Amino acid sequence: MVSSGWCFLAAMIVAYGVANLLQSVAAARTTVHHTFDPGLLLRLAGHRTYLVGLGCQVAGFVLALLARRDLPLFLVQSSVAAGLGVTALLGVLVLKWRLPAAEVALLVLLFAGITALVLSAEPAPAKPLGTAGLVALAVALGVIAVIGFFAVRLHGAPGSVALGALAGLAFSAAAVAARPLASSPTPEAFVRDPLLYLLIVHSIVGQLLLGLAMQRGSTTAAVAAMDAAGAVPAAIVGLLLLNDKIWPGREWLAAVGFLVTLAAVIGLTRYAEPQHHHAVAGEPDRGMVGVGAPGRPL
């Protein structure tokens, strides 16, 4: 019988894929921000498209939390990248994106790597993170915010990659908090756990950075950079501190799968092409879900 963790994982991939697509549409309709301004989230919230996408992301977050109760972080975090394939497929079918051959090949490589990780991952409950872990997560939050303050000055593809990578680090820290948090014995213990609030703040910072990254041209590059930066730290912490396990004899498969997945998402940050242009300052924002013509603001 299939474990519930695997079902949550599959549903999470679809939810994140739809969320990426809808949020990129909303980000393209909003005037580009060049400061680390939380007001961007308020402006994006004025789009029903973004709100629906945010709802999908929240659903993906909850599904990921449930999957992390038993599945190792190296699998769950890498599987988040599979949502990029869902995003690309929907972009081609619905928004008429034109993906270069290199990008298609890298997406196929991505799914091959994740398949290897699925075959190598052994379900197991998490260990507590401890006080030192709480302090490290709090320090990481400050470091990510400071770097993000300067990274918003980057434009185009470099801006998408840099801000997307910072978003990935923030979401990676949230994932580290979520793994032991998901094993809370009671709802009261869940609410009182400091990990919950570190998780929330890291997620908000990550969401802001991702919105800024998507404004700079390439949804694929932004999300790929996020996934690449988010997978490695979570995988290391999970294996060293949180009781993540690999089936005996399949360590080589896990290593190959992780490296292939990482190479694919890094490659996507290099070869991904912009899928849209941006609204110019003064152009009225549109708050409805719609499909723009290729090469025009969505």
Side-chain angles (χ1 to χ4, degrees), residues 15-78:
Y16 275 135
V18 175
N20 291 336
L21 182 77
L22 294 177
Q23 290 182 41
S24 73
V25 171
R29 294 175 178 172
T30 306
T31 304
V32 177
H33 280 220
H34 301 295
T35 60
F36 191 62
D37 181 10
L40 172 62
L41 294 180
L42 296 178
R43 294 199 64 186
L44 288 172
H47 296 283
R48 282 178 288 177
T49 312
Y50 183 81
L51 293 177
V52 174
L54 185 61
C56 291
Q57 183 159 343
V58 170
F61 170 81
V62 173
L63 290 163
L65 180 67
L66 294 171
R68 291 184 189 110
R69 293 186 63 181
D70 299 313
L71 300 180
L73 282 178
F74 72 81
L75 172 61
V76 178
Q77 291 309 103
S78 298

Side-chain angles (χ1 to χ4, degrees), residues 4-14 63 67 71 75-76 79-80 118:
S4 60
W6 300 108
C7 297
F8 292 137
L9 190 72
M12 176 204 76
I13 291 171
V14 175
L63 290 163
L71 300 180
L75 172 61
V76 178
S79 295
V80 169
V118 168

